[in-house]
Amino acid sequence: MAGVEITAAEVADGSYLEKMKPIAAAEWVSHNPVPTVAAYGTHDRVQPFLASLRLKAALEENHVDHVYLEFPHSGHALQNDGALSRQWMEAIEEYLDKYMPVK
């Protein structure tokens, strides 16, 4: 995804994070951030769940208006948490109504 090779040794010692910065959402959060709605499946094998925790921390540290949902039974497709899926869709609708209203 990052367009660079990441070795097992880099993953083990954490140095791969430097190579991931260009595509890491947590790196995009700043003092003037965009309000965010994010949801992550804790069993995601495409986007490592720990990366979502870095994003959540960055949103909180920068006081970003955000909704963050964890889907404890789902992978990348957020497929196994019905009640949370409804909450996710409601959060998206609220975000759109607040920040991108149709006039």
Side-chain angles (χ1 to χ4, degrees), residues 21 40 42 56 81 94:
K21 279 186 177 182
Y40 289 92
T42 60
K56 180 181 177 188
D81 293 279
E94 289 173 14

Side-chain angles (χ1 to χ4, degrees), residues 1 7 9 12-15 22 36 48 51 60-61 81 84-86 89 94 99-100 102:
M1 288 180 166
T7 67
D13 69 16
S15 64
T36 302
E60 291 170 352
E61 289 168 12
D81 293 279
L84 279 172
S85 293
R86 286 187 292 283
M89 289 297 112
E94 289 173 14
Y99 295 105
M100 302 174 77
V102 176

Side-chain angles (χ1 to χ4, degrees), residues 80-96:
N80 295 326
D81 293 279
L84 279 172
S85 293
R86 286 187 292 283
Q87 187 178 350
W88 166 238
M89 289 297 112
E90 289 169 3
I92 292 170
E93 287 179 15
E94 289 173 14
Y95 173 93
L96 293 172

Side-chain angles (χ1 to χ4, degrees), residues 5-6 12 14 30 39 57 59 75 98 101:
E5 182 180 353
I6 296 174
S30 67
L59 293 168
K98 184 174 182 178

Side-chain angles (χ1 to χ4, degrees), residues 22-96:
I23 64 167
E27 298 296 324
W28 302 345
V29 179
S30 67
H31 66 282
N32 190 20
V34 176
T36 302
V37 179
Y40 289 92
T42 60
H43 298 281
D44 195 333
R45 292 189 289 175
V46 176
Q47 166 65 30
F49 180 68
L50 291 179
S52 76
L53 299 179
R54 287 192 296 277
L55 174 59
K56 180 181 177 188
L59 293 168
E60 291 170 352
E61 289 168 12
N62 287 280
H63 308 288
V64 177
D65 184 9
H66 72 282
V67 174
Y68 172 89
L69 298 170
E70 290 180 8
F71 285 59
H73 304 102
S74 295
H76 193 71
L78 307 175
Q79 72 279 22
N80 295 326
D81 293 279
L84 279 172
S85 293
R86 286 187 292 283
Q87 187 178 350
W88 166 238
M89 289 297 112
E90 289 169 3
I92 292 170
E93 287 179 15
E94 289 173 14
Y95 173 93
L96 293 172

